[in-house]
Amino acid sequence: MNHPGKYLIGLCMITSIIINTAHGMTKSPRHNNIGVIAVDIQADFANEPVIDPRTLRTVSTRGALGVGRNLDGTVAPYGDTNKDYLKAAQKFTDDMRAYNMPIFFTQDWHPKFLKPHVSFASTWIDKGYENIQLFNPFPDENLPLKSEDKQYKVEGQVMWPDHCIQGSPGARILLKVQPQDTVIQKGANPYVESYSGFEDKDGTKTPLTSELHKRGVTDVIVFGIATDFCVNFTALDALKDGFGVHLVINLSRGVDTNLINQKIEDLITFGANVYYINGLNDGWTPSAAIKETLKKFGVIECTNVADFLNKVHIHMRKGKAVSKIPSIEKESLLEKELARSFAGKLPTEKELQSGMFNIRTRSEPGSEETSGNFVENATLQARDTLRLESEKLRSLINKVPKKRKIAITNNIESFIEAQRKLLDTKIKDQSVGQTESAAIESAFQQKRQQLNAPEEAPGAEEEIKSLGASQNQLIIDVSAALGQESKTLKELLDRINPDERVNAKSEIDSFIEKITREINKKIAKKQLASDAPENIRSAFQTKLNELKASYKINNPGKVEITEEASF
């Protein structure tokens, strides 16, 4: 006997197939060779509040380099990086993931505190260079000021505000990254720019090409920020590596309208396919002029996502080489074009002060813009290093036998809490030094090695007590000494005759930078001696005496180097 429920189930299945097909959501095998690259959709590139995920506090009202707005704050012709854009990008990514397409996120990941990135305007301002202007190429005629600057490849380098600093809230990817997705970090080399997700400016490859090949990908769907920079170079290098490229223009946002137009035209000329998808609700309605420009370039208009995928299938590479890129220095040409594009439109001092474009990112929520001294800026980096290292350490819990899991968990949590208290004490005493992140990494590395050792790990309390004789504690002591003594020298600066203060400040900053550089070299080579903290205090005391002898001190009195912060 036939049960009536069978017909109902069959009807539901047919209805489901019809609905999913109408929306283009069937997992067709023809999409098996397509990958998705979401380029640099990060907090510092968006015009939305930057949130610290640990505290849920607002770090700043917008990203340090929010893309999609003009200098006067109005929305740019190619759209804003606002909530509508982010929601549309998330929905599109989820839809592509539903087809089992591999998802790749590129992430700007720039160093700042120990070795600041070549692209930051603040890097060169702090080194004493003049005529540094945001969005303008580095003034080559001033190179080099110091011999060590030769390692930076700065010819034609565009000067940007500080952005996407490693471990900072601004570097966070704003789309949801699932366990099966892949994140490709770029720009970690302090000496080299890295716009492309495939390789640095000096040709050093990222894992992206090999990861795409492992998954059998022949064609990539590309979108993100910024159209005329990282999206453009990622698409160009994808073509160069033999992939078919399908760029979604209304899920991409750019810096400059003229440059965006040129890059779209160039990409199509070089063999990429560029699409405009209706119905994404991305918050951008192109003007009649923009529509005409896109039509002239040959941008492919799609009625919806399903239509887009059908057209991608039609234009897939199908085993044929598509790259037509001439052998040129792409980055150098682009940077010259950007300089011309921004001629006469550089932000004024008033606009810089208003926060429209900050040369530096903010070090703490609600704080004023940071000074040029990296010792004072290290708090944010240290906190994020502690957070990241804590996550790494907690990941070991799942790898230990069940009978030891509770003990190891308590051990790890006690250790993390002790490290947090150490850092909080230094922050309170304003003695966070430039080597603080290195000290934290060293402590956690030692802890991981101990937990991975075959012998039973000692209790957290005994282990923390034993840190005093370790290399880790030595780095902590050195960092504390450097931070506290630097603070003392700066306190003296306030008592120096105002007429001499500028020269004195330059001398103090140079001295601190020199000492810090020497310490970092010794840490890297593991050559710190046990008397390093005392040697630092002695060097600073000598410098203090020199300053007192060289400059006129107002309200002279006893100025002593203070004791290092108590932990």
Side-chain angles (χ1 to χ4, degrees), residues 282-512:
D282 56 282
W284 175 48
T285 302
S287 65
I290 292 290
K291 285 184 178 179
E292 186 61 31
T293 299
L294 296 179
K295 182 178 179 181
K296 181 182 70 174
F297 291 157
V299 171
I300 303 168
E301 186 171 3
C302 307
T303 55
N304 52 35
V305 172
D307 183 40
F308 162 71
L309 290 175
N310 286 331
K311 289 176 178 175
V312 166
H313 178 64
I314 293 171
H315 293 92
M316 281 181 70
R317 183 168 66 84
K318 296 181 172 59
K320 297 179 181 179
V322 298
S323 178
K324 306 172 187 176
I325 303 175
S327 178
I328 58 174
E329 292 292 333
K330 301 188 300 295
E331 289 89 347
S332 297
L333 286 180
L334 179 92
E335 286 156 351
K336 291 176 182 176
E337 292 156 3
L338 179 71
R340 288 199 299 269
S341 176
F342 270 97
K345 296 196 296 183
L346 292 174
T348 63
E349 186 64 27
K350 183 178 180 180
E351 287 168 335
L352 290 175
Q353 292 175 353
S354 71
M356 182 63 193
F357 289 106
N358 294 321
I359 291 181
R360 308 174 195 280
T361 53
R362 300 183 184 277
S363 60
E364 289 295 315
S367 69
E368 296 301 318
E369 289 186 33
T370 59
S371 71
N373 193 289
F374 295 152
V375 175
E376 296 174 0
N377 288 339
T379 298
L380 177 62
Q381 181 78 350
R383 280 180 167 170
D384 283 303
T385 299
L386 179 63
R387 175 180 61 83
L388 293 173
E389 291 296 328
S390 297
E391 291 174 358
K392 290 180 185 178
L393 192 59
R394 288 187 176 110
S395 69
L396 296 179
I397 294 174
N398 295 325
K399 300 178 182 180
V400 300
K402 188 174 181 179
K403 64 180 181 180
R404 295 184 59 202
K405 187 162 289 188
I406 294 178
I408 292 297
T409 300
N410 292 336
N411 189 316
I412 287 175
E413 293 302 329
S414 296
F415 175 80
I416 291 173
E417 180 63 15
Q419 292 294 318
R420 185 189 65 77
K421 288 181 178 179
L422 291 179
L423 181 58
D424 286 346
T425 299
K426 300 185 77 173
I427 292 172
K428 183 179 179 181
D429 294 340
Q430 297 182 354
S431 60
V432 176
Q434 200 173 345
T435 59
E436 191 63 41
S437 289
I440 293 171
E441 288 177 356
S442 176
F444 276 83
Q445 182 180 15
Q446 180 179 341
K447 183 65 176 177
R448 285 195 299 272
Q449 290 173 347
Q450 181 212 39
L451 291 175
N452 285 325
E455 64 270 17
E456 186 73 17
E461 184 177 353
E462 289 75 16
E463 180 186 351
I464 292 170
K465 288 180 180 179
S466 72
L467 287 176
S470 69
Q471 178 75 3
N472 163 66
Q473 185 62 44
L474 183 57
I475 296 175
I476 292 174
D477 291 344
V478 165
S479 178
L482 178 61
Q484 192 63 40
E485 288 15 325
S486 298
K487 177 184 174 185
T488 302
L489 279 190
K490 291 175 184 177
E491 288 174 350
L492 176 67
L493 185 63
D494 294 334
R495 298 176 54 200
I496 291 177
N497 190 322
D499 294 338
E500 301 177 302
R501 200 167 291 167
V502 172
N503 292 335
K505 182 180 184 304
S506 176
E507 186 175 345
I508 289 173
D509 288 345
S510 296
F511 174 76
I512 294 174

Side-chain angles (χ1 to χ4, degrees), residues 28-317:
S28 169
R30 69 179 182 173
H31 301 315
N32 287 348
N33 300 118
I34 302 175
V36 178
I37 304 175
V39 179
D40 294 6
I41 302 180
Q42 295 171 254
D44 266 346
F45 294 137
N47 289 312
E48 287 294 321
V50 178
I51 307 298
D52 186 332
R54 302 159 301 172
T55 63
L56 300 182
R57 294 175 63 188
T58 299
V59 177
S60 59
T61 56
R62 54 168 290 191
L65 190 49
V67 172
R69 291 187 187 172
N70 300 313
L71 294 180
D72 60 3
T74 58
V75 176
Y78 273 96
D80 197 0
T81 49
N82 54 15
K83 287 183 180 178
D84 290 337
Y85 167 74
L86 296 173
K87 287 180 180 178
Q90 182 66 68
K91 175 67 166 57
F92 181 83
T93 304
D94 292 341
D95 287 348
M96 298 304 101
R97 192 183 286 112
Y99 288 105
N100 292 329
M101 294 184 190
I103 309 296
F104 298 84
F105 296 94
T106 69
Q107 183 183 31
D108 251 13
W109 194 248
H110 296 316
K112 166 65 180 177
F113 297 99
L114 297 182
K115 294 181 179 179
H117 196 253
V118 61
S119 71
F120 294 166
S122 63
T123 298
W124 304 101
I125 292 172
D126 291 332
K127 287 177 175 290
Y129 285 84
E130 299 177 352
N131 303 320
I132 299 295
Q133 291 181 304
L134 289 176
F135 314 116
N136 250 13
F138 182 86
D140 299 328
E141 66 274 13
N142 288 340
L143 182 71
L145 180 65
K146 300 175 183 176
S147 59
E148 65 265 22
D149 292 345
K150 290 181 180 179
Q151 58 195 328
Y152 287 91
K153 299 183 178 181
V154 296
E155 183 179 358
Q157 172 67 53
V158 172
M159 296 288 98
W160 300 107
D162 290 5
H163 62 278
C164 299
I165 295 171
Q166 295 174 359
S168 71
R172 187 167 59 95
I173 296 173
L174 295 178
L175 304 187
K176 295 177 182 177
V177 180
Q178 301 296 342
Q180 68 269 30
D181 300 337
T182 303
V183 175
I184 303 293
Q185 292 180 334
K186 60 189 181 68
N189 185 339
Y191 308 123
V192 183
E193 182 60 279
S194 185
Y195 294 131
S196 170
F198 286 88
E199 62 181 46
D200 290 346
K201 188 175 178 179
D202 66 352
T204 302
K205 300 287 287 185
T206 72
L208 184 51
T209 299
S210 62
E211 290 297 323
L212 289 168
H213 285 155
K214 285 179 185 177
R215 290 163 173 78
V217 171
T218 62
D219 288 67
V220 291
I221 296 170
V222 181
F223 63 93
I225 310 171
T227 311
D228 40 346
F229 280 86
C230 297
V231 173
N232 170 65
F233 285 126
T234 298
L236 285 175
D237 283 339
L239 289 170
K240 187 178 69 175
D241 286 355
F243 297 100
V245 172
H246 309 271
L247 171 65
V248 183
I249 192 60
N250 55 320
L251 285 182
S252 302
R253 297 292 187 264
V255 175
D256 179 78
T257 303
N258 294 331
L259 208 53
I260 293 170
N261 287 338
Q262 182 178 333
K263 295 304 118 184
I264 294 173
E265 185 176 21
D266 287 349
L267 284 170
I268 292 174
T269 300
F270 296 151
N273 305 287
V274 181
Y275 305 80
Y276 178 89
I277 307 174
N278 288 291
L280 291 183
N281 298 319
D282 56 282
W284 175 48
T285 302
S287 65
I290 292 290
K291 285 184 178 179
E292 186 61 31
T293 299
L294 296 179
K295 182 178 179 181
K296 181 182 70 174
F297 291 157
V299 171
I300 303 168
E301 186 171 3
C302 307
T303 55
N304 52 35
V305 172
D307 183 40
F308 162 71
L309 290 175
N310 286 331
K311 289 176 178 175
V312 166
H313 178 64
I314 293 171
H315 293 92
M316 281 181 70
R317 183 168 66 84

